Amino acid sequence: MAKLGLLFIVIFCIVQITLAARLRRDVVEEGVQTLKKTITDTFTKENVDTFFDKLSQLGDMFKEKAGELGDTIKSKVNEATN
């Protein structure tokens, strides 16, 4: 997740530097190539698979905790009504 945020910051900085400094075309093309390489290195199949695995684990944990919270609320309501 942090890599994604850093990647957006890098993209934003490259765009700002390009627009503000009116860099030469070859410098811009080199920056684009570097950006493409960074994106390719960041979003490898393993990284994406790991991200989705962690996201799935987070969803399962959220489902479990929400179920526990629902059971707790249900038992408290039953205690209060009895």
Side-chain angles (χ1 to χ4, degrees):
M1 293 298 284
K3 287 182 182 181
L4 186 61
L6 290 174
L7 182 64
F8 287 129
I9 290 171
V10 168
I11 292 170
F12 179 77
C13 289
I14 289 173
V15 168
Q16 291 300 314
I17 290 170
T18 302
L19 294 176
R22 307 276 191 241
L23 295 174
R24 293 187 326 253
R25 183 177 182 92
D26 59 337
V27 174
V28 174
E29 289 176 359
E30 182 181 314
V32 169
Q33 292 301 325
T34 303
L35 182 63
K36 285 181 182 178
K37 184 179 181 324
T38 303
I39 290 172
T40 303
D41 292 345
T42 302
F43 293 107
T44 61
K45 182 172 177 11
E46 295 85 22
N47 286 346
V48 173
D49 288 345
T50 302
F51 172 73
F52 284 126
D53 287 342
K54 295 291 183 182
L55 195 59
S56 175
Q57 290 174 2
L58 179 66
D60 291 341
M61 185 181 70
F62 181 75
K63 178 181 168 184
E64 179 184 323
K65 295 299 179 183
E68 291 174 4
L69 180 62
D71 291 341
T72 303
I73 292 172
K74 185 178 177 181
S75 68
K76 294 293 182 182
V77 168
N78 284 338
E79 288 176 11
T81 57
N82 290 336

